[in-house]
Amino acid sequence: MTLQPARLLMILLAAAAFPAMAQNLAVVNGKPVPSSRADALIKQLSTQGQQDSPQLRNMVKEELINREILIQEADKRGLSNNQDVKNQVEIARQSIVIRALVADYLKKNPVSDAEVQAEYDKFKSQAGDKEYRARHILVEKEEDAKGIIAKLKGGAKFEELAKQSKDPGSAANGGDLDWASPASFVKPFSDAMTGLQKGQVTETPVKTQFGFHVIKLEDVRAAKIPALEEVKPQISESLQQKKLQAFQQQLREKAKIQ
């Protein structure tokens, strides 16, 4: 059987339309909604715990159709040309593109196991092999700190005097700072603390950028350093942030800002 030219043309046109239809989720008022948009939304939802399924894809399809209807109406009303809307769209666009830039940079500049190990070793050396449990009373004036030391020598209880401390976090707990490594404190404080014997109080006020401290050492114990595997995710994330900050700083230094 020989097909008529007109019939053959219709078949060819229909065949050519199938790939285009397959690329579109729907066509709304003559405007196609690409299937790739649905794939992108489903991918985004999957990061939030949603499982890909026919039901989810149907919901996404309906959502994207509704969005297309609404965006077309917004365009008819000229809202896309509103300057405030343009600014918000640009901010959203920047956020999306910057996230892509960050992901691309981290993929090409991953944190290595050697870097994590080096940072862990640095942490261990700074933490030391001992932890200290101390109390302190923080005041603004040196003479006030001297007065507190005199009262302690006279038999006053450290926990009671600590209620007047400028440090609200520890004042309510009798000045207790809990267990911590010397590296957790500023150097003048840690130097004075580690120089004390258990139960001893500083003989003179300890000056830091926060004020004047009176310190009492409660106890000392061997440091409990977490294993590398326990802190590896936190160290890796911290190193990623440092890499990103350095990357951003490099770009800023090269940028011409007027």
Side-chain angles (χ1 to χ4, degrees), residues 137-149:
I137 302 171
L138 175 63
V139 292
E140 288 185 8
K141 300 178 181 178
E142 184 177 13
E143 53 264 36
D144 292 339
K146 288 181 177 179
I148 290 170
I149 292 172

Side-chain angles (χ1 to χ4, degrees), residues 101-122:
L101 173 65
V102 168
D104 180 71
Y105 177 80
L106 291 177
K107 182 179 179 180
K108 294 176 179 176
N109 300 272
V111 174
S112 67
D113 288 342
E115 289 175 314
V116 172
Q117 184 66 57
E119 190 70 10
Y120 178 72
D121 292 341
K122 179 182 175 183

Side-chain angles (χ1 to χ4, degrees), residues 169-186:
S170 65
N173 297 316
D176 188 11
L177 295 172
D178 208 346
W179 290 101
S181 70
S184 303
F185 305 102
V186 293

Side-chain angles (χ1 to χ4, degrees), residues 222-257:
K224 295 180 179 178
I225 306 296
L228 173 59
E229 291 306 313
E230 294 179 49
V231 293
K232 187 174 182 178
Q234 295 93 317
I235 293 176
S236 182
E237 183 178 352
S238 175
L239 290 174
Q240 282 183 344
Q241 291 303 316
K242 289 180 180 178
K243 282 178 178 281
L244 287 173
Q245 288 171 5
F247 175 55
Q248 181 176 345
Q249 186 60 35
Q250 289 172 5
L251 293 176
R252 187 176 179 87
E253 289 172 356
K254 294 177 183 177
K256 184 179 180 181
I257 303 173

Side-chain angles (χ1 to χ4, degrees), residues 17 20-35 37 61 64-66 68-69 72:
M21 290 294 291
Q23 293 173 4
N24 296 328
L25 191 70
V27 178
V28 179
N29 296 324
K31 186 173 181 180
V33 179
S35 298
R37 195 176 299 170
K61 177 180 179 180
L64 291 178
I65 290 172
N66 288 335
E68 185 58 38
I69 292 170
Q72 288 183 21

